[in-house]
Amino acid sequence: MDKNYNYQRKKLRLPEYGRHIHEMVDYIKTIEDRDFRNTQAYAVIAVMGNLNPLLRDTADFTHKLWDHLFIMAGFDLDVDSPYPIPSAEALAPKPDKLPYPDKRIKMKHYGKNVQRIIESLAGEPDGPAVEDAIANMARYMRTKSYEYNQEHPNNEVIIKDIKTLSDNAIKVDEIALNNLKSDYKQPFTAHPKKNAYQNGRQQKNSKNAKNLQNKSAKQHRTRK
C-alpha cells in the first residue's frame, strides 16, 4: 500500500484553508478556457467564504478572499478579478533598513541621553537656567553612577565626567560644589519596594525558624 504522508506533499501556502482548497486552486490553473476558469474561480471564492461565515459582514472580506486566492495560486493565476491583482512584493513588503547608531557612548553607565543633554547644554550661553540644568544633571549622574557601581562618587568625579562629556565646554567647578555638597552623603535607596520586600521575607524567615525551634523543643520534652 502506497502511503502519502503530509511531509511528502506540497507545502500549503495558507494552511488555514486546508489542502482541498489548495488542490482546487491548482486545478483552476490547469483550465485552458478562460470563461470556465473565471467561473471556477468564483466558485472557489464562494467555498472559501463558507469556511468563515462569521466574517462575511466585515469590511473588505471579499477582497481578502481574492487576495488569498492569488496567494494560494502563487500569484500565477490568470482570471478576471473584481479587485486589483496583488503581487508578492505588495502583500509582504520588505521593511526599510534601519541604520545602526554610529556615535560612540563615552560613558555607558550614564547612558546616551545624559550625553546628549550635556552636549546640548555645552552650546547654550551661560545663565541661571543653564546652571540649574547642569546642577540637576550632576545629581542625576550621581544617582546613575550609584545604580551602576553601588557607591556614591564624590563631586570631583562628577565634575570631571561632565567636562569629559562636554569636551571641556562646560565649567562646573563652583556650580557642582555648591549644589552637591549639601546632599552628598545622604543615603540613597534605589529600589524601595524591593528593599521592603526583602525585609518582609527576612521577618517571615525569622518567624518560621522560631516556630520550628519551638516545635522541636516541644517534641523533645514530650519524649522525656
Side-chain angles (χ1 to χ4, degrees):
M1 183 177 179
D2 186 16
K3 294 183 179 180
N4 191 6
Y5 296 99
N6 284 333
Y7 73 88
Q8 297 174 327
R9 298 178 180 180
K10 181 181 177 181
K11 184 178 180 181
L12 302 181
R13 292 187 173 90
L14 295 178
E16 58 269 24
Y17 285 103
R19 187 168 299 277
H20 293 298
I21 298 296
H22 283 75
E23 292 177 352
M24 292 180 186
V25 176
D26 292 337
Y27 167 71
I28 294 175
K29 295 172 62 176
T30 63
I31 299 175
E32 296 183 358
D33 183 77
R34 185 177 184 83
D35 293 334
F36 184 57
R37 188 166 60 247
N38 288 330
T39 302
Q40 294 300 310
Y42 276 89
V44 172
I45 289 293
V47 175
M48 292 167 59
N50 291 333
L51 295 177
N52 299 285
L54 298 178
L55 301 178
R56 289 195 174 194
D57 296 333
T58 59
D60 298 332
F61 176 66
T62 307
H63 193 177
K64 292 179 182 179
L65 292 179
W66 279 96
D67 288 344
H68 292 171
L69 178 67
F70 285 105
I71 292 174
M72 287 186 287
F75 303 96
D76 185 21
L77 181 62
D78 185 14
V79 294
D80 297 330
S81 172
Y83 303 97
I85 299 177
S87 62
E89 293 77 13
L91 293 179
K94 293 183 178 180
D96 296 333
K97 187 176 180 179
L98 295 176
Y100 282 94
D102 55 355
K103 189 173 182 180
R104 179 176 172 270
I105 302 176
K106 296 180 180 178
M107 298 180 179
K108 294 183 179 181
H109 57 285
Y110 291 133
K112 179 170 57 177
N113 292 330
V114 171
Q115 181 173 332
R116 288 178 176 176
I117 294 174
I118 291 179
E119 289 176 352
S120 63
L121 291 175
E124 296 293 330
D126 296 336
V130 176
E131 293 178 359
D132 292 339
I134 295 174
N136 292 331
M137 183 55 57
R139 291 191 182 92
Y140 179 74
M141 291 170 62
R142 194 182 66 179
T143 302
K144 297 299 293 183
S145 181
Y146 179 85
E147 293 178 357
Y148 188 81
N149 299 315
Q150 297 300 311
E151 61 181 10
H152 290 289
N154 55 38
N155 297 336
E156 287 73 15
V157 173
I158 298 297
I159 294 172
K160 180 181 177 182
D161 291 345
I162 292 178
K163 289 182 178 180
T164 301
L165 293 174
S166 65
D167 293 330
N168 293 321
I170 296 179
K171 307 299 180 182
V172 293
D173 298 73
E174 295 182 0
I175 298 174
L177 288 176
N178 292 335
N179 289 279
L180 295 181
K181 187 175 181 180
S182 59
D183 61 353
Y184 165 59
K185 293 187 177 181
Q186 290 182 0
F188 172 75
T189 303
H191 302 286
K193 293 184 178 180
K194 182 178 180 181
N195 292 338
Y197 172 75
Q198 292 176 349
N199 293 335
R201 288 292 301 272
Q202 291 176 358
Q203 293 177 1
K204 184 177 180 180
N205 293 336
S206 177
K207 184 177 179 181
N208 292 338
K210 186 176 180 180
N211 292 337
L212 182 61
Q213 185 178 4
N214 294 336
K215 183 177 180 180
S216 300
K218 184 178 180 180
Q219 292 177 353
H220 182 70
R221 289 195 299 269
T222 303
R223 291 175 182 176
K224 288 184 177 181

